[in-house]
């Protein structure tokens, strides 16, 4: 595949910054189709930050990838300096600043979960090894492809010289879903809802927690339970709605979430690059080492985090009641089981 240069910067636009090199895998797929425009126009890495996009997909998808490249060219975006479509890991992972790993093996009808794990271990072991060999050691890696938490752990284990803290998985879509549900219930914009938490796995065991959430109503921050005034809903239908939202989208659309997933990816990477507002936290699947919530070591588990200077820190000291503890432990148990199964394939 060729390399496509976009020379718009020689005309009206001049930028002094070096381009950031951003990889998107599964780049011919529907999530990437919704994602690439946002990255390329500056929504993620900054409005004056030039971008080099590297697009990786499997060989049969290269003709589709050519069409995606044509569309990116036709957008005439001033920040987009270069687009590199490829099916080769040694090209895709070279000198990366950011890697967004969207592509994974989807679960097919009749497929056992262990077979899904086995197929994805092979993919993310290979991509982790490619990160180790070719990418910058400062690369920030976001795993989107499911099962995202365990795929992220496998990639991190396969790139031992890159800090584990540089790896995260996407639970921001679940976080955004939770904010939106609360906002709709209270009749306010989603921007008025902050500090929801997604604990655990990006699966139906995840725990959307609003015990520390604030809702701004009429200029005052209220505790979520006081704003919603429906404890049964917050402890029942709210949780199950967020947990099952992906399946509900598939049932309605006959396709998995793409637009909302792309928006969540942009939110997640923008916060890594630019930080989170003071007093606010977001949800990310991160390495569980040295957490204060009793979550087992050596997992990628979704926690509330603050981000500053491109470094995340788990928010410590939040009170956890018995209701929350049971749900946090249940999703952790699922992750331990996934990890233990995946690790057997990793060493095979």
């Amino acid at each position: 595949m060729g390399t496509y240069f976009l020379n718009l910067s020689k005309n009206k636009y001049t930028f002094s910054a070096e381009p950031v090199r951003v990889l998107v895998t599964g780049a011919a797929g529907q999530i990437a189709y919704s994602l690439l425009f946002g990255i390329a126009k500056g929504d993620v890495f900054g409005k004056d930050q030039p971008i080099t996009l590297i697009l990786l997909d499997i060989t049969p998808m290269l003709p589709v990838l050519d069409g995606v490249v044509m569309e990116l060219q036709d957008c005439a975006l001033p920040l987009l300096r270069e687009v590199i479509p490829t099916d080769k890991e040694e090209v895709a992972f070279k000198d990366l600043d950011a890697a967004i790993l969207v592509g994974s093996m989807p679960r097919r009808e009749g497929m056992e979960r262990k077979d899904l794990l086995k197929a994805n271990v092979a993919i993310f072991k290979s991509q982790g090894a490619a990160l180790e060999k070719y990418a910058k050691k400062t690369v920030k890696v976001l795993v989107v492809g499911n099962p995202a938490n365990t795929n992220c752990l496998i990639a991190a284990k396969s790139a031992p010289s890159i800090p584990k803290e540089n790896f995260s998985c996407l639970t921001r879509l679940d976080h955004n879903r939770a904010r939106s549900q609360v906002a709709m219930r209270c009749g306010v914009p989603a921007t008025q809802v902050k500090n929801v938490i997604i604990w655990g796995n990006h699966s139906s065991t995840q725990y959307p927690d609003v015990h520390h959430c604030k809702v701004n109503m009429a200029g005052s921050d209220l505790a979520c339970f006081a704003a919603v005034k429906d404890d049964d809903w917050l402890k029942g239908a709210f949780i199950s709605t967020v947990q099952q939202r992906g399946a509900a989208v598939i049932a309605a659309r006959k396709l998995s979430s793409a637009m909302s997933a792309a928006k969540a990816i942009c939110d997640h990477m923008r916060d890594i690059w630019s930080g989170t507002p003071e007093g606010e936290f977001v949800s990310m699947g991160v390495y569980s080492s040295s957490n204060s919530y009793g979550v087992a070591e050596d997992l990628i588990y979704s926690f509330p985090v603050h981000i500053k200077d491109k470094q995340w820190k788990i928010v410590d000291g939040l009170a956890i009641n018995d209701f929350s503890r049971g749900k946090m432990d249940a999703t952790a148990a699922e992750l331990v089981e996934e990890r233990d199964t995946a690790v057997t394939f990793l060493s095979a």
Side-chain angles (χ1 to χ4, degrees):
M1 299 292 287
T3 298
Y4 298 80
F5 293 92
L6 307 181
N7 294 317
L8 293 169
S9 58
K10 293 181 179 177
N11 300 327
K12 175 181 174 184
Y13 302 94
T14 57
F15 302 102
S16 57
E18 281 293 306
V20 293
R21 291 178 63 85
V22 182
L23 167 66
V24 176
T25 74
Q30 60 156 352
I31 291 176
Y33 193 75
S34 291
L35 170 66
L36 292 169
F37 178 70
I39 294 173
K41 79 181 181 73
D43 288 351
V44 178
F45 298 98
K47 297 297 184 184
D48 58 356
Q49 175 58 63
I51 302 284
T52 294
L53 270 178
I54 303 100
L55 310 181
L56 177 67
D57 216 312
I58 57 176
T59 306
M61 297 304 292
L62 290 180
V64 178
L65 212 48
D66 276 338
V68 174
V69 171
M70 286 185 235
E71 289 217 64
L72 284 166
Q73 292 171 327
D74 294 348
C75 288
L77 295 163
L79 293 173
L80 188 57
R81 295 293 183 82
E82 193 176 342
V83 185
I84 305 171
T86 185
D87 59 352
K88 296 177 173 58
E89 286 184 342
E90 63 269 24
V91 175
F93 287 86
K94 185 173 175 55
D95 296 332
L96 291 181
D97 296 292
I100 303 171
L101 307 185
V102 178
S104 65
M105 172 71 76
R107 190 168 188 170
R108 300 198 171 99
E109 194 171 349
M111 182 182 274
E112 297 280 340
R113 188 163 180 83
K114 66 179 181 180
D115 296 327
L116 178 70
L117 280 169
K118 186 174 184 179
N120 279 295
V121 164
I123 294 168
F124 286 87
K125 179 180 179 181
S126 178
Q127 293 188 350
L131 285 163
E132 174 77 7
K133 188 171 183 180
Y134 301 112
K136 295 176 182 176
K137 301 308 178 190
T138 53
V139 64
K140 300 297 185 183
V141 183
L142 168 58
V143 176
V144 178
N146 288 317
N149 298 60
T150 300
N151 288 344
C152 184
L153 185 67
I154 294 302
K157 286 179 175 293
S158 303
S161 71
I162 297 173
K164 295 284 190 294
E165 292 76 23
N166 287 23
F167 289 82
S168 57
C169 85
L170 188 74
T171 56
R172 184 60 168 266
L173 176 52
D174 310 301
H175 180 100
N176 287 349
R177 287 165 170 164
R179 285 180 78 189
S180 178
Q181 289 296 314
V182 170
M184 288 189 293
R185 194 78 174 188
C186 293
V188 299
T191 50
Q192 304 295 95
V193 180
K194 65 183 181 182
N195 295 352
V196 302
I197 303 168
I198 304 297
W199 298 101
N201 201 359
H202 175 62
S203 76
S204 60
T205 69
Q206 66 176 253
Y207 171 41
D209 178 7
V210 292
H211 285 91
H212 307 281
C213 168
K214 300 289 185 185
V215 182
N216 190 281
M217 299 183 72
S220 297
D221 278 346
L222 299 179
C224 184
F225 279 81
V228 171
K229 297 177 182 170
D230 190 339
D231 291 14
D232 289 344
W233 180 77
L234 284 171
K235 291 185 174 183
F238 161 74
I239 293 172
S240 58
T241 296
V242 176
Q243 289 173 333
Q244 301 295 334
R245 189 67 162 188
V249 169
I250 292 171
R253 240 188 120 227
K254 314 307 177 199
L255 292 166
S256 58
S257 305
M259 176 171 44
S260 55
K263 163 64 163 55
I265 292 165
C266 288
D267 290 345
H268 180 117
M269 290 303 290
R270 184 192 62 247
D271 284 348
I272 287 178
W273 235 252
S274 302
T276 49
E278 193 67 33
E280 293 188 30
F281 44 79
V282 294
S283 304
M284 285 171 40
V286 297
Y287 201 58
S288 62
S289 178
S290 302
N291 71 87
S292 64
Y293 295 106
V295 176
E297 299 277 308
D298 199 34
L299 296 175
I300 298 289
Y301 185 100
S302 184
F303 291 96
V305 299
H306 291 301
I307 307 168
K308 186 177 181 181
D309 300 327
K310 297 184 184 174
Q311 302 295 321
W312 55 262
K313 187 176 185 300
I314 294 172
V315 177
D316 283 326
L318 298 176
I320 304 298
N321 62 23
D322 290 345
F323 178 86
S324 294
R325 172 54 58 194
K327 293 188 176 300
M328 290 165 64
D329 289 350
T331 191
E334 182 183 58
L335 280 171
V336 169
E337 184 181 352
E338 274 189 21
R339 176 199 64 195
D340 292 349
T341 302
V343 167
T344 64
F345 298 133
L346 187 61
S347 56

